[in-house]
Structure formats: structure tokens, C-alpha cells
Amino acid sequence: ILNVEQSPQSLHVQEGDSTNFTCSFPSSNFYALHWYRWETAKSPEALFVMTLNGDEKKKGRISATLNTKEGYSYLYIKGSQPEDSATYLCAFNSWGKLIFGQGTELSVKP
Amino acid sequence: GAGVSQSPSNKVTEKGKDVELRCDPISGHTALYWYRQSLGQGLEFLIYFQGNSAPDKSGLPSDRFSAERTGGSVSTLTIQRTQQEDSAVYLCASSFESGGLNEQFFGPGTRLTVL
């Protein structure tokens, strides 16, 4: 059974804080790792698709790194803003279907 | 262009009734996926379609669940004799092709509540 774990489960930060969370996944038979951002009452929005060990991707204030050998990925948010409040999901790509972690719920207070 | 749409957005039903959830994928997307999120759980894969065929239906939790896709477009997920544990948000996603690194685009979901 493929297991994807995310930590922490929830995070409360002040506006302007930088934060990061972790996704761990099976290191064998790795194909790709996806990060999504899911705001309440909206559709999950794709952030990154990561494939190569050592990969680093960036979109604005959000960036992610990937270590396929040890089976983890970090998502970083620099200078958090209230609009960053959402659940951040990682998903292990298993032959095209996505195996999701339980997500990290981020709340940014003004 | 239009994204993935799902209907209804909310559905409240009584235990034992059948429900149908609908998904309209992005035009031209050949692959379609169903996931669900139960309370306190992560998003869980149910089934995916490539065209009208379902190569992987391993995530369907019981034989009360079925799904079909017609014309390579719209898909319906049917739950027969609903139970309270079926209450969840059901999400549909589509991608240009199945497998590979094709990004999956999600719809807004259907929130199902079984009383």
C-alpha cells in the first residue's frame, strides 16, 4: 500500500512569516510528485509537478524541493500572506493516478 | 476556457437512496478521474477513465459504487443504496491523457451528505 504523509497537519502563522511543510512518499518506483493548493469552496489548484531528484521549482513566493532517494519534498512559502491560507496537498503519481497525503492546513493571520 | 464542472454542488440524501454525480471534463481531455475526501481523510482515488474505458477502478469502495463515461466526455458516478459513510466531497479531475506527467485539473466537487 502506497503511503504519502504530510506534516504538520495544520499550521498557524502571522502575516510575513516564512513557513515550510513536508511530504514523505515511497522512494521506490518514483515517477512524479505533485503539489496542489486547495482553498475552501474552490477546486484544488496545481502548484508544481516534480520529477527529478534535486528538482527545485518556484512560483512567486512559493517554492518546492524534491529528494527522491530519501522520499521527501518540502514546500516553502516566503513572507506568508492571508491569501495563502489554504490546504496544501502533495500527491505521489502512481501510474497516472494520484495518491494524496492528508494535507497541511495553513492559516495566515493578518 | 471552461474548466471541469461538477453537478450538483451539494446533495443531501437519505440512507438507502441512490445518487448520481456528474462530471463534465475540460474539452479535449481524454482522461477523467474520480476522487473523494471523507471527513478527516485525505483525497482518495476511486476510478479513472481513458476515453470510455476504465483501466483502473481499484479505488471503488464497494459494489454499490459504479461509474461510466460516454462519448469520451461526461462521466457519472452512481452510488446505490447510500450509507452514512458515503458522505464526502467527491472530486472529478481531467487531463489531456492518462498516465505520464499530465496535469490533472480538478472540478469544484460535489458535497454529498447521507442522513
Side-chain angles (χ1 to χ4, degrees):
Chain A
I1 296 177
L2 294 172
N3 199 32
V4 178
E5 296 193 357
Q6 292 187 247
S7 63
Q9 200 169 7
S10 64
L11 199 52
H12 299 265
V13 301
Q14 290 292 133
E15 183 175 354
D17 287 351
S18 293
T19 187
N20 65 84
F21 12 99
T22 306
C23 172
S24 61
F25 53 85
S27 55
S28 58
N29 298 314
F30 178 83
Y31 188 63
L33 187 85
H34 301 241
W35 280 100
Y36 282 86
R37 179 173 178 273
W38 193 7
E39 283 182 77
T40 303
K42 294 187 177 179
S43 309
E45 171 199 355
L47 291 174
F48 305 114
V49 180
M50 309 184 77
T51 57
L52 299 174
N53 185 44
D55 220 1
E56 290 189 29
K57 298 223 171 175
K58 189 173 179 184
K59 184 187 275 192
R61 293 178 292 99
I62 304 177
S63 60
T65 61
L66 179 69
N67 183 323
T68 61
K69 294 185 178 180
E70 295 182 39
Y72 64 82
S73 176
Y74 293 134
L75 189 81
Y76 301 91
I77 303 178
K78 185 177 177 183
S80 303
Q81 300 296 307
E83 58 265 30
D84 296 329
S85 297
T87 296
Y88 291 82
L89 299 167
C90 70
F92 180 83
N93 187 320
S94 174
W95 301 101
K97 73 186 184 193
L98 299 181
I99 310 298
F100 283 89
Q102 292 200 337
T104 293
E105 187 177 353
L106 175 67
S107 173
V108 183
K109 287 190 176 179
Chain B
V4 178
S5 61
Q6 293 185 245
S7 60
S9 54
N10 277 287
K11 176 74 178 178
V12 179
T13 191
E14 292 179 349
K15 178 181 170 181
K17 296 278 176 85
D18 297 352
V19 295
E20 268 193 8
L21 312 181
R22 177 186 166 109
C23 173
D24 277 275
I26 292 172
S27 177
H29 279 192
T30 63
L32 185 148
Y33 308 78
W34 284 98
Y35 297 87
R36 75 172 179 181
Q37 185 176 46
S38 305
L39 191 64
Q41 305 295 315
L43 271 172
E44 170 192 19
F45 167 81
L46 298 177
I47 184 172
Y48 94 86
F49 291 88
Q50 175 59 47
N52 293 335
S53 302
D56 189 341
K57 47 179 91 170
S58 62
L60 294 178
S62 77
D63 58 10
R64 296 185 295 104
F65 287 72
S66 63
E68 65 174 16
R69 189 178 185 198
T70 53
S73 182
V74 171
S75 175
T76 53
L77 177 70
T78 301
I79 310 173
Q80 294 179 309
R81 305 181 302 281
T82 51
Q83 303 294 310
Q84 288 181 333
E85 62 262 27
D86 300 335
S87 296
V89 176
Y90 289 81
L91 283 169
C92 173
S94 71
S95 65
F96 184 66
E97 290 176 338
S98 64
L101 299 176
N102 291 280
E103 183 179 335
Q104 294 184 22
F105 295 83
F106 282 82
T110 294
R111 181 175 295 277
L112 175 67
T113 304
V114 182
L115 301 176

